[in-house]
Amino acid sequence: MRDATSDGPGLEEEINRRVAQNTEQMKAAIDGRDDLLSVAAHEIRTPLASLRLYLDALIKAADRGKLDPVEAGVRLRKAQRQCDRLNILLSNLLDISRSPSRKLSVVLEPLDLVVVVKAVCDRLRDQFTHQGRTLDVVTPVDQLWGDWDRMRLEQVLTNLITNAQKHAPASPVRVEIAVRGEDKVAVTVADSGPGIKPDDRDRLFKRGTQPASSGGLGLGLWIVAQIVTAFGGTIGVESEPGRGAAFTFELPRRPGPPGGS
Amino acid sequence: MPKSVLIIDDDAGIADALSLLLGQEGYEVRVASDGGMALELLEAQPRPQMILLDLSMPGMDGYAFLRRKQQSDALARIPTFVMSAGDMDFALKELHVSGWLRKPIKLEALQQLLRKERLITNPALFV
C-alpha cells in the first residue's frame, strides 16, 4: 500500500508555488492595465484640452461680436481635428483592450489610396506648418485602387505620421506612395529625426514592448501592424541612429478602379 | 509693440490652440516643438517676455532646455512657466522657473498668469 503522506509535502509545495506564480501573473496584469489606463487618460486629456482652448478662443471672439465667419470656419475645423484625434485614440484603446484571440474588425470597400493619403495629410498639415515643419506627399500616379477599410487605413496613416511628428521633432515628414508590380502598393512615412536604436527597432511592432522612452500609449505601431496584417499586407522600418526613420507598409491592390477595364 | 510669448510643446494641437488664443488677444506668439528648436528661436531678437514650457518632449525635453537656458544670463532672465498635469510647486526653485500652469490649461489660469507677469496691456483682454 502506498503511503499517502510521502507525497504530501511535495504536492503542497507545488500547489503553493503555482498559486504564488498565478498571483504574480495576475498582479502584473492588473498593474499593466492600471498603467495603460493612466497613460490612456493622459492621452485623451491632451486633445480634449486643445479642443477646450479652441472653443474658449471662439467663444471669446463671439462674445465680443468679432467672430469672422471665415476665421470661425478655420477654427471649427481645427476643433474638428481634435475630435478626429480623440476618435483615433479611442479606436486604438478599443483595439488594445480587444482579446488577442479576437480578430481585428475590418470592413473592406474599394478605395483610392492617393485620395485617402492626401486627405489624412491635409488634416494634419497645419500642425506641421505651425511647428515650422513640412508634411509632403509624393505619389507617382493620380489614383491607386484597393479593397481596404477607410477608417483603418486612416488609422494606420495617422498613427505613423503622428509617430514621426512626435519622435522626430523639427524634422520634415514625407509620405511617399510607390507602385510595386501589378498587384501591390507601398506607402513610406519617412523623417530625418534621431532614428531608432537597433535594439528598439526589433520590438517596435510588438504589443507591450515599446521602448520606455517612447511615452504615450506606445501601442500605436502594434495597432498599425495588426491593421496592415488584416489587409493582407506587411510592414517594416528602416532606420539608423541619427539618420531618421522610414516606416513602409505594403498592401495588396486592385489593378484599376472598380468597374474599370 | 505687441507682447511676445514663446510656447514650447511637442503637442501641435495644444501649441496651436494656445497660440490662437493668445494671438487673438494681441500677443505675438512663437512655437517650438522641442527645446532645441526653442533655443534656436531664442537666438533671434527681440526675445519673448515669457516662455510656456512643456517638460515631457522627445528631442530636447523641458528639463534639458531649462539647464541650457540657465547657462545664458540673457535667457535665464526670461520668466518661464512649466505646463504640467502634476503639482510642480515643490520643484520650482530647483528648475529655476517662475511658476507653473496646470494642464489641462484653463483660460482663467492663463489670464491670471499674464496679469501676474504684467503682460496684459489691454484692459479688455480675455473679457
Side-chain angles (χ1 to χ4, degrees):
Chain A
M1 196 172 132
R2 197 174 167 190
D3 181 2
T5 57
S6 65
D7 285 342
L11 183 64
E12 194 180 322
E13 264 175 37
E14 179 60 16
I15 290 169
N16 285 341
R17 192 186 65 78
R18 288 194 187 186
V19 167
Q21 193 181 31
N22 286 346
T23 308
E24 245 347 272
Q25 282 170 351
M26 281 191 287
K27 192 174 171 302
I30 291 167
D31 287 350
R33 179 140 298 198
D34 286 350
D35 289 348
L36 184 69
L37 275 174
S38 155
V39 178
H42 173 75
E43 292 259 309
I44 289 168
R45 192 159 56 181
T46 306
L48 262 181
S50 325
L51 184 60
R52 174 64 201 237
L53 287 169
Y54 282 129
L55 294 177
D56 282 343
L58 268 172
I59 291 167
K60 285 291 164 197
D63 285 349
R64 291 172 188 158
K66 287 185 176 172
L67 193 57
D68 172 67
V70 177
E71 182 58 25
V74 171
R75 293 180 187 195
L76 284 168
R77 271 188 286 279
K78 286 175 184 236
Q80 188 184 44
R81 272 194 283 282
Q82 297 307 315
C83 294
D84 292 344
R85 199 173 151 197
L86 276 170
N87 195 28
I88 292 271
L89 268 173
L90 290 172
S91 301
N92 285 354
L93 260 181
L94 282 172
D95 289 337
I96 294 161
S97 59
R98 182 174 49 88
S99 150
S101 59
R102 274 177 53 208
K103 275 191 80 177
L104 196 82
S105 67
V106 287
V107 183
L108 302 181
E109 58 172 323
L111 291 173
D112 179 355
L113 180 70
V114 177
V115 168
V116 177
V117 168
K118 284 184 173 172
V120 169
C121 290
D122 285 348
R123 271 213 302 271
L124 297 171
R125 186 166 290 108
D126 71 330
Q127 299 189 353
F128 279 77
T129 307
H130 204 75
Q131 292 177 330
R133 314 163 65 177
T134 53
L135 172 63
D136 294 323
V137 178
V138 179
T139 174
V141 288
D142 292 336
Q143 50 177 307
L144 267 173
W145 289 86
D147 293 315
W148 304 301
D149 178 315
R150 179 184 294 275
M151 198 275 280
R152 294 297 193 182
L153 194 52
E154 289 181 352
Q155 198 178 354
V156 167
L157 289 161
T158 306
N159 277 343
L160 289 177
I161 295 168
T162 52
N163 191 59
Q165 186 182 22
K166 186 170 178 64
H167 295 286
S171 155
V173 173
R174 193 181 73 253
V175 183
E176 189 166 353
I177 298 170
V179 178
R180 300 256 171 104
E182 287 293 307
D183 56 358
K184 284 191 176 127
V185 59
V187 180
T188 299
V189 177
D191 64 66
S192 50
I196 304 160
K197 293 181 205 150
D199 286 355
D200 290 340
R201 210 162 50 213
D202 296 338
R203 49 200 179 114
L204 279 178
F205 299 107
K206 291 180 185 159
R207 183 176 175 156
T209 55
Q210 264 60 34
S213 58
S214 64
L217 285 176
L219 287 159
L221 292 176
W222 173 77
I223 290 160
V224 163
Q226 296 288 304
I227 296 170
V228 169
T229 305
F231 286 158
T234 54
I235 185 161
V237 61
E238 285 182 22
S239 178
E240 278 181 45
R243 294 188 168 193
F247 288 83
T248 300
F249 62 94
E250 194 176 82
L251 300 176
R253 70 173 175 98
R254 285 168 174 255
S261 53
Chain B
M1 194 170 139
K3 300 279 185 184
S4 63
V5 178
L6 172 63
I7 298 166
I8 312 172
D9 198 321
D10 66 309
D11 188 277
I14 294 278
D16 182 54
L18 260 179
S19 61
L20 201 146
L21 189 59
L22 288 166
Q24 178 174 291
E25 305 302 334
Y27 290 85
E28 190 183 287
V29 185
R30 304 193 80 181
V31 172
S33 58
D34 82 325
M37 190 177 171
L39 289 172
E40 278 175 32
L41 290 178
L42 286 168
E43 282 174 14
Q45 297 281 359
R47 295 207 170 94
Q49 278 114 337
M50 185 171 85
I51 295 172
L52 295 175
L53 174 72
D54 184 27
L55 285 175
S56 173
M57 290 177 289
M60 185 190 288
D61 66 14
Y63 298 98
F65 168 78
L66 287 170
R67 282 194 296 274
R68 292 280 298 273
K69 177 176 169 278
Q70 276 310 110
Q71 289 166 7
S72 152
D73 289 341
L75 299 186
R77 280 197 291 270
I78 304 173
T80 299
F81 292 83
V82 164
M83 301 183 283
S84 166
D87 195 317
M88 294 297 294
D89 278 337
F90 70 100
L92 297 182
K93 207 170 171 185
E94 200 179 327
L95 291 173
H96 302 283
V97 293
S98 314
W100 67 287
L101 263 178
R102 185 180 292 280
K103 275 186 163 181
I105 293 165
K106 299 259 170 57
L107 186 64
E108 297 73 23
L110 183 62
Q111 184 179 9
Q112 208 173 21
L113 179 68
L114 293 165
R115 285 227 167 88
K116 187 179 151 217
E117 289 303 304
R118 299 178 189 281
L119 280 177
I120 287 186
T121 48
N122 176 0
L125 192 72
F126 291 124
V127 174

